[in-house]
Amino acid sequence: MIHFVLLLNRQGKTRLAKWFSTYTAKQRARFSREVSTLVLNRNARYCNIIEWKEHKLIYKRYASLYFVACVDWNDNELVTLETIHHFVEILDKYFGNVCELDLIFNFHKAYFVLDELIATGELQESSKNAVLRCVAQQDVLQEAPHENKAEL
């Protein structure tokens, strides 16, 4: 099970945080700080898996962003890396070569993608086209109220 997903930039700022397990606000802040310190200070030559408390942190760097997932001790690391890569591919397809600014200004759309992909800490949809179709429908629903106001 995935306990949380964090997207961090190289300066350690959290660009996206999705929590699938229940933590207090204080715990979330502490975990974010600890995880960002561990991941950002890690040598690039080391593997992308860190043993952390009773969990594992699995991360992958894409351009200036680190995609981090915290999973149970007995979860498959390669499947989690594949899920992270799958998420990045969907974001790339949706935004057209996603960058940090896309996530800053359209964070709600990134959350839509993540919500369609992962539910309750488990991979929910493996089809990129199905996720993109659902997010496109969400975009249509989001634009509909603006069109009705323009007609008035």
Side-chain angles (χ1 to χ4, degrees):
M1 174 188 168
I2 298 174
H3 293 278
F4 57 85
V5 174
L6 296 175
L7 271 65
L8 308 166
N9 68 5
R10 283 189 281 181
Q11 289 75 37
K13 289 195 177 203
T14 303
R15 295 301 179 198
L16 184 111
K18 183 72 174 180
W19 303 86
F20 299 106
S21 294
T22 307
Y23 300 109
T24 64
K26 198 176 207 179
Q27 286 175 316
R28 289 179 183 189
R30 190 178 82 238
F31 290 169
S32 294
R33 264 192 324 275
E34 286 178 21
V35 168
S36 65
T37 302
L38 281 171
V39 169
L40 295 175
N41 292 333
R42 191 163 171 93
N43 191 331
R45 295 182 188 176
Y46 293 165
C47 73
N48 294 353
I49 301 161
I50 302 172
E51 295 175 359
W52 178 68
K53 301 187 183 227
E54 63 273 0
H55 304 295
K56 288 187 276 190
L57 299 174
I58 300 167
Y59 69 95
K60 183 79 174 139
R61 180 178 173 195
Y62 292 93
S64 65
L65 291 172
Y66 289 88
F67 291 74
V68 184
C70 176
V71 298
D72 286 329
W73 184 255
N74 58 355
D75 280 354
N76 188 331
E77 300 91 356
L78 296 178
V79 170
T80 306
L81 276 172
E82 185 62 33
T83 302
I84 291 171
H85 184 70
H86 190 61
F87 178 49
V88 172
E89 285 179 334
I90 293 170
L91 288 175
D92 269 344
K93 220 174 204 184
Y94 182 70
F95 287 111
N97 200 11
V98 69
C99 66
E100 187 176 353
L101 288 176
D102 291 326
L103 297 176
I104 292 170
F105 294 117
N106 298 303
F107 64 91
H108 57 286
K109 293 180 181 184
Y111 277 113
F112 288 152
V113 171
L114 189 59
D115 288 341
E116 287 297 323
L117 185 65
I118 300 172
T120 65
E122 300 291 336
L123 180 65
Q124 203 58 33
E125 181 60 61
S126 60
S127 169
K128 293 175 197 158
N129 291 332
V131 171
L132 290 169
R133 188 172 41 255
C134 290
V135 174
Q137 289 172 350
Q138 186 68 32
D139 287 345
V140 169
L141 289 173
Q142 204 172 17
E143 294 297 322
H146 299 296
E147 292 173 4
N148 292 339
K149 288 180 185 175
E151 291 174 1
L152 297 175

